[in-house]
Amino acid sequence: MAVWKKALIGAAALIVVVMGGTLVYAKVSTDNQPERLTLSTTTPGKGTGATGDDPTATTGTGSSTAGEPTLDGTWSVKPGSGSVAGYRVKEVLNGIDAEAVGRTDAVTGSITISGTTVTKADFTVDMASVTSDQDRRDGQFRGRIMDTASNPTSSFELTKPIPLDGAPGLGKSFSTTATGRLTLKGTTRSVTLDLTAQRTATGMEIVADHDVKFADFGIDPPDFGFVKTEDHGLIEVKLVLTGP
């Protein structure tokens, strides 16, 4: 009986340690993750590069007619601009929800606007540079999950023009959708992204996201042993663009 009693006490202690460790991991994993990507706070008028207090005055980016700004031309991502791309995935650790976020600033591409219509957009992300707060997770991501050795990049190419409701003034945001070809792990599918954009004093910002089902792109649901994820995840992108 003494042996069984000790065994039961040992098992109970192990359960407490495991569950305690699980709770700590889940809390740290969730608390340490970056917030969702959002547009920068921009105040129209003074301090934004606008002329006087008129949020629709020319800023030197693009051209203007009769005080109304135009977005005509090609807007590009510049190195070190603050553009970011990555993923956000719910993890399940022994029934406890946590969250994993991986990101990279290795984003390139541009959009072309004619009048008040986005006619072209192409963006590419260096997948091998995506990192999170866990080296083990990153190793799995670059290896079994995304196979970045064979598929070093992911991309999005617009296939349907995006009409804009005029040219937005400084700090004025608007929401729309973008339909195009998304390529992940060598598989390309048509998707529609939700996006929000705004004109800034130095260019334009766009924040977009899309919920991806891993199976649609031949991606096995990530499994890190004691940590598993859901069968889908959110792609997040923030583009900081410089105008013509």
Side-chain angles (χ1 to χ4, degrees), residues 85-120:
Y87 66 82
R88 184 176 296 270
V89 181
K90 294 293 185 181
E91 291 182 334
V92 180
L93 178 60
N94 294 330
I96 298 175
D97 292 336
E99 190 171 53
V101 178
R103 288 183 177 169
T104 178
D105 61 1
V107 183
T108 57
S110 64
I111 67 172
T112 300
I113 301 177
S114 178
T116 57
T117 302
V118 179
T119 58
K120 182 180 180 181

PDB file of all heavy atoms in Angstrom, residues 85-120:
ATOM      1  N   ALA A  85       5.203  41.158 -42.929  1.00  0.00           N
ATOM      2  CA  ALA A  85       4.279  40.083 -43.296  1.00  0.00           C
ATOM      3  C   ALA A  85       4.503  38.916 -42.350  1.00  0.00           C
ATOM      4  O   ALA A  85       5.610  38.729 -41.829  1.00  0.00           O
ATOM      5  CB  ALA A  85       4.496  39.645 -44.745  1.00  0.00           C
ATOM      6  N   GLY A  86       3.464  38.125 -42.139  1.00  0.00           N
ATOM      7  CA  GLY A  86       3.632  36.981 -41.255  1.00  0.00           C
ATOM      8  C   GLY A  86       2.348  36.224 -41.020  1.00  0.00           C
ATOM      9  O   GLY A  86       1.376  36.358 -41.758  1.00  0.00           O
ATOM     10  N   TYR A  87       2.361  35.419 -39.968  1.00  0.00           N
ATOM     11  CA  TYR A  87       1.209  34.568 -39.656  1.00  0.00           C
ATOM     12  C   TYR A  87       0.809  34.736 -38.195  1.00  0.00           C
ATOM     13  O   TYR A  87       1.591  35.182 -37.357  1.00  0.00           O
ATOM     14  CB  TYR A  87       1.543  33.094 -39.923  1.00  0.00           C
ATOM     15  CG  TYR A  87       2.616  32.530 -39.011  1.00  0.00           C
ATOM     16  CD1 TYR A  87       2.319  32.071 -37.719  1.00  0.00           C
ATOM     17  CD2 TYR A  87       3.946  32.458 -39.419  1.00  0.00           C
ATOM     18  CE1 TYR A  87       3.295  31.568 -36.882  1.00  0.00           C
ATOM     19  CE2 TYR A  87       4.940  31.958 -38.594  1.00  0.00           C
ATOM     20  CZ  TYR A  87       4.607  31.520 -37.318  1.00  0.00           C
ATOM     21  OH  TYR A  87       5.584  31.037 -36.489  1.00  0.00           O
ATOM     22  N   ARG A  88      -0.421  34.362 -37.919  1.00  0.00           N
ATOM     23  CA  ARG A  88      -0.950  34.322 -36.558  1.00  0.00           C
ATOM     24  C   ARG A  88      -1.801  33.061 -36.458  1.00  0.00           C
ATOM     25  O   ARG A  88      -2.801  32.916 -37.170  1.00  0.00           O
ATOM     26  CB  ARG A  88      -1.789  35.574 -36.273  1.00  0.00           C
ATOM     27  CG  ARG A  88      -2.321  35.681 -34.837  1.00  0.00           C
ATOM     28  CD  ARG A  88      -3.058  37.000 -34.648  1.00  0.00           C
ATOM     29  NE  ARG A  88      -2.142  38.130 -34.814  1.00  0.00           N
ATOM     30  CZ  ARG A  88      -1.451  38.663 -33.810  1.00  0.00           C
ATOM     31  NH1 ARG A  88      -1.565  38.185 -32.588  1.00  0.00           N
ATOM     32  NH2 ARG A  88      -0.647  39.688 -34.045  1.00  0.00           N
ATOM     33  N   VAL A  89      -1.400  32.141 -35.590  1.00  0.00           N
ATOM     34  CA  VAL A  89      -2.049  30.835 -35.509  1.00  0.00           C
ATOM     35  C   VAL A  89      -2.385  30.509 -34.061  1.00  0.00           C
ATOM     36  O   VAL A  89      -1.567  30.719 -33.157  1.00  0.00           O
ATOM     37  CB  VAL A  89      -1.138  29.720 -36.075  1.00  0.00           C
ATOM     38  CG1 VAL A  89      -1.830  28.366 -35.997  1.00  0.00           C
ATOM     39  CG2 VAL A  89      -0.743  30.024 -37.512  1.00  0.00           C
ATOM     40  N   LYS A  90      -3.573  29.973 -33.847  1.00  0.00           N
ATOM     41  CA  LYS A  90      -3.980  29.530 -32.517  1.00  0.00           C
ATOM     42  C   LYS A  90      -3.327  28.177 -32.214  1.00  0.00           C
ATOM     43  O   LYS A  90      -3.412  27.245 -33.003  1.00  0.00           O
ATOM     44  CB  LYS A  90      -5.499  29.391 -32.427  1.00  0.00           C
ATOM     45  CG  LYS A  90      -6.269  30.696 -32.551  1.00  0.00           C
ATOM     46  CD  LYS A  90      -6.019  31.618 -31.370  1.00  0.00           C
ATOM     47  CE  LYS A  90      -6.881  32.869 -31.454  1.00  0.00           C
ATOM     48  NZ  LYS A  90      -6.632  33.784 -30.311  1.00  0.00           N
ATOM     49  N   GLU A  91      -2.671  28.099 -31.064  1.00  0.00           N
ATOM     50  CA  GLU A  91      -2.084  26.842 -30.606  1.00  0.00           C
ATOM     51  C   GLU A  91      -2.961  26.246 -29.513  1.00  0.00           C
ATOM     52  O   GLU A  91      -3.632  26.965 -28.774  1.00  0.00           O
ATOM     53  CB  GLU A  91      -0.682  27.087 -30.046  1.00  0.00           C
ATOM     54  CG  GLU A  91       0.345  27.488 -31.087  1.00  0.00           C
ATOM     55  CD  GLU A  91       1.722  27.667 -30.493  1.00  0.00           C
ATOM     56  OE1 GLU A  91       1.816  27.974 -29.282  1.00  0.00           O
ATOM     57  OE2 GLU A  91       2.698  27.517 -31.238  1.00  0.00           O
ATOM     58  N   VAL A  92      -2.936  24.933 -29.427  1.00  0.00           N
ATOM     59  CA  VAL A  92      -3.668  24.232 -28.371  1.00  0.00           C
ATOM     60  C   VAL A  92      -2.658  23.389 -27.601  1.00  0.00           C
ATOM     61  O   VAL A  92      -2.022  22.499 -28.155  1.00  0.00           O
ATOM     62  CB  VAL A  92      -4.776  23.343 -28.939  1.00  0.00           C
ATOM     63  CG1 VAL A  92      -5.510  22.630 -27.805  1.00  0.00           C
ATOM     64  CG2 VAL A  92      -5.758  24.172 -29.764  1.00  0.00           C
ATOM     65  N   LEU A  93      -2.501  23.692 -26.336  1.00  0.00           N
ATOM     66  CA  LEU A  93      -1.544  23.011 -25.483  1.00  0.00           C
ATOM     67  C   LEU A  93      -2.293  22.315 -24.356  1.00  0.00           C
ATOM     68  O   LEU A  93      -2.745  22.955 -23.414  1.00  0.00           O
ATOM     69  CB  LEU A  93      -0.543  24.020 -24.915  1.00  0.00           C
ATOM     70  CG  LEU A  93       0.522  23.505 -23.962  1.00  0.00           C
ATOM     71  CD1 LEU A  93       1.379  22.443 -24.652  1.00  0.00           C
ATOM     72  CD2 LEU A  93       1.401  24.641 -23.480  1.00  0.00           C
ATOM     73  N   ASN A  94      -2.475  20.977 -24.502  1.00  0.00           N
ATOM     74  CA  ASN A  94      -3.228  20.212 -23.504  1.00  0.00           C
ATOM     75  C   ASN A  94      -4.585  20.851 -23.209  1.00  0.00           C
ATOM     76  O   ASN A  94      -5.007  20.972 -22.068  1.00  0.00           O
ATOM     77  CB  ASN A  94      -2.432  20.079 -22.202  1.00  0.00           C
ATOM     78  CG  ASN A  94      -1.179  19.248 -22.381  1.00  0.00           C
ATOM     79  OD1 ASN A  94      -1.146  18.348 -23.221  1.00  0.00           O
ATOM     80  ND2 ASN A  94      -0.151  19.538 -21.612  1.00  0.00           N
ATOM     81  N   GLY A  95      -5.260  21.298 -24.284  1.00  0.00           N
ATOM     82  CA  GLY A  95      -6.586  21.881 -24.135  1.00  0.00           C
ATOM     83  C   GLY A  95      -6.592  23.346 -23.780  1.00  0.00           C
ATOM     84  O   GLY A  95      -7.665  23.944 -23.639  1.00  0.00           O
ATOM     85  N   ILE A  96      -5.424  23.937 -23.629  1.00  0.00           N
ATOM     86  CA  ILE A  96      -5.340  25.351 -23.273  1.00  0.00           C
ATOM     87  C   ILE A  96      -4.928  26.150 -24.508  1.00  0.00           C
ATOM     88  O   ILE A  96      -3.960  25.815 -25.185  1.00  0.00           O
ATOM     89  CB  ILE A  96      -4.318  25.570 -22.133  1.00  0.00           C
ATOM     90  CG1 ILE A  96      -4.784  24.808 -20.885  1.00  0.00           C
ATOM     91  CG2 ILE A  96      -4.156  27.054 -21.821  1.00  0.00           C
ATOM     92  CD1 ILE A  96      -3.788  24.853 -19.748  1.00  0.00           C
ATOM     93  N   ASP A  97      -5.663  27.209 -24.788  1.00  0.00           N
ATOM     94  CA  ASP A  97      -5.409  28.013 -25.980  1.00  0.00           C
ATOM     95  C   ASP A  97      -4.234  28.971 -25.774  1.00  0.00           C
ATOM     96  O   ASP A  97      -4.123  29.622 -24.731  1.00  0.00           O
ATOM     97  CB  ASP A  97      -6.650  28.835 -26.361  1.00  0.00           C
ATOM     98  CG  ASP A  97      -7.792  27.968 -26.838  1.00  0.00           C
ATOM     99  OD1 ASP A  97      -7.519  26.845 -27.307  1.00  0.00           O
ATOM    100  OD2 ASP A  97      -8.949  28.405 -26.741  1.00  0.00           O
ATOM    101  N   ALA A  98      -3.384  29.039 -26.774  1.00  0.00           N
ATOM    102  CA  ALA A  98      -2.292  30.014 -26.811  1.00  0.00           C
ATOM    103  C   ALA A  98      -2.258  30.579 -28.231  1.00  0.00           C
ATOM    104  O   ALA A  98      -3.165  30.323 -29.028  1.00  0.00           O
ATOM    105  CB  ALA A  98      -0.969  29.362 -26.431  1.00  0.00           C
ATOM    106  N   GLU A  99      -1.236  31.344 -28.555  1.00  0.00           N
ATOM    107  CA  GLU A  99      -1.161  31.947 -29.879  1.00  0.00           C
ATOM    108  C   GLU A  99       0.290  32.042 -30.334  1.00  0.00           C
ATOM    109  O   GLU A  99       1.178  32.332 -29.535  1.00  0.00           O
ATOM    110  CB  GLU A  99      -1.795  33.337 -29.866  1.00  0.00           C
ATOM    111  CG  GLU A  99      -1.986  33.952 -31.233  1.00  0.00           C
ATOM    112  CD  GLU A  99      -2.821  35.217 -31.173  1.00  0.00           C
ATOM    113  OE1 GLU A  99      -2.466  36.123 -30.385  1.00  0.00           O
ATOM    114  OE2 GLU A  99      -3.820  35.313 -31.892  1.00  0.00           O
ATOM    115  N   ALA A 100       0.507  31.763 -31.614  1.00  0.00           N
ATOM    116  CA  ALA A 100       1.845  31.866 -32.192  1.00  0.00           C
ATOM    117  C   ALA A 100       1.825  32.920 -33.290  1.00  0.00           C
ATOM    118  O   ALA A 100       0.917  32.956 -34.110  1.00  0.00           O
ATOM    119  CB  ALA A 100       2.278  30.522 -32.773  1.00  0.00           C
ATOM    120  N   VAL A 101       2.854  33.767 -33.291  1.00  0.00           N
ATOM    121  CA  VAL A 101       2.971  34.816 -34.306  1.00  0.00           C
ATOM    122  C   VAL A 101       4.382  34.797 -34.872  1.00  0.00           C
ATOM    123  O   VAL A 101       5.362  34.801 -34.121  1.00  0.00           O
ATOM    124  CB  VAL A 101       2.671  36.215 -33.725  1.00  0.00           C
ATOM    125  CG1 VAL A 101       2.845  37.290 -34.797  1.00  0.00           C
ATOM    126  CG2 VAL A 101       1.265  36.261 -33.144  1.00  0.00           C
ATOM    127  N   GLY A 102       4.500  34.752 -36.201  1.00  0.00           N
ATOM    128  CA  GLY A 102       5.792  34.840 -36.862  1.00  0.00           C
ATOM    129  C   GLY A 102       5.760  35.966 -37.880  1.00  0.00           C
ATOM    130  O   GLY A 102       4.737  36.172 -38.550  1.00  0.00           O
ATOM    131  N   ARG A 103       6.877  36.690 -38.004  1.00  0.00           N
ATOM    132  CA  ARG A 103       6.893  37.850 -38.898  1.00  0.00           C
ATOM    133  C   ARG A 103       8.245  38.048 -39.564  1.00  0.00           C
ATOM    134  O   ARG A 103       9.270  37.551 -39.084  1.00  0.00           O
ATOM    135  CB  ARG A 103       6.521  39.125 -38.126  1.00  0.00           C
ATOM    136  CG  ARG A 103       5.049  39.182 -37.739  1.00  0.00           C
ATOM    137  CD  ARG A 103       4.707  40.471 -37.061  1.00  0.00           C
ATOM    138  NE  ARG A 103       3.278  40.523 -36.774  1.00  0.00           N
ATOM    139  CZ  ARG A 103       2.693  41.426 -36.012  1.00  0.00           C
ATOM    140  NH1 ARG A 103       3.432  42.381 -35.454  1.00  0.00           N
ATOM    141  NH2 ARG A 103       1.394  41.410 -35.812  1.00  0.00           N
ATOM    142  N   THR A 104       8.223  38.802 -40.658  1.00  0.00           N
ATOM    143  CA  THR A 104       9.433  39.212 -41.341  1.00  0.00           C
ATOM    144  C   THR A 104       9.221  40.581 -41.973  1.00  0.00           C
ATOM    145  O   THR A 104       8.092  40.938 -42.322  1.00  0.00           O
ATOM    146  CB  THR A 104       9.835  38.201 -42.438  1.00  0.00           C
ATOM    147  OG1 THR A 104      11.007  38.677 -43.110  1.00  0.00           O
ATOM    148  CG2 THR A 104       8.721  38.040 -43.480  1.00  0.00           C
ATOM    149  N   ASP A 105      10.311  41.323 -42.118  1.00  0.00           N
ATOM    150  CA  ASP A 105      10.226  42.604 -42.831  1.00  0.00           C
ATOM    151  C   ASP A 105      10.799  42.479 -44.248  1.00  0.00           C
ATOM    152  O   ASP A 105      10.945  43.481 -44.952  1.00  0.00           O
ATOM    153  CB  ASP A 105      10.943  43.716 -42.064  1.00  0.00           C
ATOM    154  CG  ASP A 105      12.437  43.450 -41.880  1.00  0.00           C
ATOM    155  OD1 ASP A 105      12.926  42.406 -42.362  1.00  0.00           O
ATOM    156  OD2 ASP A 105      13.117  44.283 -41.255  1.00  0.00           O
ATOM    157  N   ALA A 106      11.108  41.231 -44.657  1.00  0.00           N
ATOM    158  CA  ALA A 106      11.653  40.992 -45.997  1.00  0.00           C
ATOM    159  C   ALA A 106      10.507  40.904 -47.010  1.00  0.00           C
ATOM    160  O   ALA A 106      10.139  39.828 -47.493  1.00  0.00           O
ATOM    161  CB  ALA A 106      12.494  39.726 -46.023  1.00  0.00           C
ATOM    162  N   VAL A 107       9.914  42.055 -47.290  1.00  0.00           N
ATOM    163  CA  VAL A 107       8.762  42.163 -48.188  1.00  0.00           C
ATOM    164  C   VAL A 107       9.135  43.092 -49.345  1.00  0.00           C
ATOM    165  O   VAL A 107       9.702  44.163 -49.131  1.00  0.00           O
ATOM    166  CB  VAL A 107       7.532  42.736 -47.454  1.00  0.00           C
ATOM    167  CG1 VAL A 107       6.324  42.775 -48.381  1.00  0.00           C
ATOM    168  CG2 VAL A 107       7.216  41.924 -46.207  1.00  0.00           C
ATOM    169  N   THR A 108       8.814  42.678 -50.562  1.00  0.00           N
ATOM    170  CA  THR A 108       9.055  43.523 -51.734  1.00  0.00           C
ATOM    171  C   THR A 108       7.787  43.570 -52.581  1.00  0.00           C
ATOM    172  O   THR A 108       6.912  42.713 -52.459  1.00  0.00           O
ATOM    173  CB  THR A 108      10.203  42.979 -52.605  1.00  0.00           C
ATOM    174  OG1 THR A 108       9.895  41.634 -53.005  1.00  0.00           O
ATOM    175  CG2 THR A 108      11.515  42.972 -51.841  1.00  0.00           C
ATOM    176  N   GLY A 109       7.699  44.584 -53.458  1.00  0.00           N
ATOM    177  CA  GLY A 109       6.562  44.659 -54.365  1.00  0.00           C
ATOM    178  C   GLY A 109       6.052  46.062 -54.563  1.00  0.00           C
ATOM    179  O   GLY A 109       6.624  47.043 -54.059  1.00  0.00           O
ATOM    180  N   SER A 110       4.957  46.163 -55.295  1.00  0.00           N
ATOM    181  CA  SER A 110       4.407  47.486 -55.623  1.00  0.00           C
ATOM    182  C   SER A 110       2.961  47.363 -56.072  1.00  0.00           C
ATOM    183  O   SER A 110       2.473  46.266 -56.381  1.00  0.00           O
ATOM    184  CB  SER A 110       5.227  48.139 -56.737  1.00  0.00           C
ATOM    185  OG  SER A 110       5.127  47.376 -57.940  1.00  0.00           O
ATOM    186  N   ILE A 111       2.275  48.503 -56.100  1.00  0.00           N
ATOM    187  CA  ILE A 111       0.947  48.584 -56.700  1.00  0.00           C
ATOM    188  C   ILE A 111       0.964  49.721 -57.724  1.00  0.00           C
ATOM    189  O   ILE A 111       1.749  50.662 -57.613  1.00  0.00           O
ATOM    190  CB  ILE A 111      -0.162  48.843 -55.660  1.00  0.00           C
ATOM    191  CG1 ILE A 111      -0.022  50.238 -55.053  1.00  0.00           C
ATOM    192  CG2 ILE A 111      -0.145  47.770 -54.583  1.00  0.00           C
ATOM    193  CD1 ILE A 111      -1.187  50.620 -54.162  1.00  0.00           C
ATOM    194  N   THR A 112       0.118  49.593 -58.734  1.00  0.00           N
ATOM    195  CA  THR A 112      -0.008  50.637 -59.751  1.00  0.00           C
ATOM    196  C   THR A 112      -1.440  51.156 -59.735  1.00  0.00           C
ATOM    197  O   THR A 112      -2.396  50.367 -59.761  1.00  0.00           O
ATOM    198  CB  THR A 112       0.338  50.101 -61.151  1.00  0.00           C
ATOM    199  OG1 THR A 112       1.690  49.631 -61.151  1.00  0.00           O
ATOM    200  CG2 THR A 112       0.192  51.195 -62.204  1.00  0.00           C
ATOM    201  N   ILE A 113      -1.578  52.475 -59.697  1.00  0.00           N
ATOM    202  CA  ILE A 113      -2.894  53.104 -59.666  1.00  0.00           C
ATOM    203  C   ILE A 113      -3.049  53.993 -60.880  1.00  0.00           C
ATOM    204  O   ILE A 113      -2.166  54.787 -61.211  1.00  0.00           O
ATOM    205  CB  ILE A 113      -3.088  53.930 -58.381  1.00  0.00           C
ATOM    206  CG1 ILE A 113      -2.943  53.023 -57.149  1.00  0.00           C
ATOM    207  CG2 ILE A 113      -4.450  54.623 -58.375  1.00  0.00           C
ATOM    208  CD1 ILE A 113      -3.044  53.771 -55.840  1.00  0.00           C
ATOM    209  N   SER A 114      -4.169  53.850 -61.555  1.00  0.00           N
ATOM    210  CA  SER A 114      -4.507  54.702 -62.691  1.00  0.00           C
ATOM    211  C   SER A 114      -5.823  55.396 -62.371  1.00  0.00           C
ATOM    212  O   SER A 114      -6.862  54.727 -62.232  1.00  0.00           O
ATOM    213  CB  SER A 114      -4.645  53.869 -63.971  1.00  0.00           C
ATOM    214  OG  SER A 114      -5.025  54.681 -65.064  1.00  0.00           O
ATOM    215  N   GLY A 115      -5.774  56.704 -62.239  1.00  0.00           N
ATOM    216  CA  GLY A 115      -6.980  57.428 -61.857  1.00  0.00           C
ATOM    217  C   GLY A 115      -7.383  57.062 -60.445  1.00  0.00           C
ATOM    218  O   GLY A 115      -6.665  57.327 -59.489  1.00  0.00           O
ATOM    219  N   THR A 116      -8.535  56.428 -60.305  1.00  0.00           N
ATOM    220  CA  THR A 116      -9.010  55.974 -58.999  1.00  0.00           C
ATOM    221  C   THR A 116      -9.198  54.462 -58.996  1.00  0.00           C
ATOM    222  O   THR A 116     -10.095  53.930 -58.342  1.00  0.00           O
ATOM    223  CB  THR A 116     -10.340  56.668 -58.631  1.00  0.00           C
ATOM    224  OG1 THR A 116     -11.304  56.402 -59.666  1.00  0.00           O
ATOM    225  CG2 THR A 116     -10.160  58.157 -58.462  1.00  0.00           C
ATOM    226  N   THR A 117      -8.306  53.761 -59.704  1.00  0.00           N
ATOM    227  CA  THR A 117      -8.385  52.299 -59.761  1.00  0.00           C
ATOM    228  C   THR A 117      -7.000  51.685 -59.570  1.00  0.00           C
ATOM    229  O   THR A 117      -6.034  52.107 -60.209  1.00  0.00           O
ATOM    230  CB  THR A 117      -8.949  51.814 -61.106  1.00  0.00           C
ATOM    231  OG1 THR A 117     -10.249  52.377 -61.304  1.00  0.00           O
ATOM    232  CG2 THR A 117      -9.061  50.298 -61.134  1.00  0.00           C
ATOM    233  N   VAL A 118      -6.916  50.706 -58.681  1.00  0.00           N
ATOM    234  CA  VAL A 118      -5.681  49.932 -58.548  1.00  0.00           C
ATOM    235  C   VAL A 118      -5.700  48.889 -59.664  1.00  0.00           C
ATOM    236  O   VAL A 118      -6.549  48.003 -59.686  1.00  0.00           O
ATOM    237  CB  VAL A 118      -5.590  49.231 -57.186  1.00  0.00           C
ATOM    238  CG1 VAL A 118      -4.299  48.409 -57.098  1.00  0.00           C
ATOM    239  CG2 VAL A 118      -5.643  50.248 -56.048  1.00  0.00           C
ATOM    240  N   THR A 119      -4.785  49.009 -60.603  1.00  0.00           N
ATOM    241  CA  THR A 119      -4.786  48.138 -61.780  1.00  0.00           C
ATOM    242  C   THR A 119      -3.818  46.968 -61.665  1.00  0.00           C
ATOM    243  O   THR A 119      -3.951  45.970 -62.366  1.00  0.00           O
ATOM    244  CB  THR A 119      -4.418  48.935 -63.040  1.00  0.00           C
ATOM    245  OG1 THR A 119      -3.118  49.538 -62.860  1.00  0.00           O
ATOM    246  CG2 THR A 119      -5.451  50.031 -63.293  1.00  0.00           C
ATOM    247  N   LYS A 120      -2.839  47.096 -60.777  1.00  0.00           N
ATOM    248  CA  LYS A 120      -1.828  46.046 -60.654  1.00  0.00           C
ATOM    249  C   LYS A 120      -1.261  46.037 -59.244  1.00  0.00           C
ATOM    250  O   LYS A 120      -1.099  47.091 -58.625  1.00  0.00           O
ATOM    251  CB  LYS A 120      -0.701  46.278 -61.665  1.00  0.00           C
ATOM    252  CG  LYS A 120       0.379  45.214 -61.664  1.00  0.00           C
ATOM    253  CD  LYS A 120       1.458  45.536 -62.705  1.00  0.00           C
ATOM    254  CE  LYS A 120       2.554  44.473 -62.720  1.00  0.00           C
ATOM    255  NZ  LYS A 120       3.615  44.783 -63.707  1.00  0.00           N
TER     256      LYS A 120
END
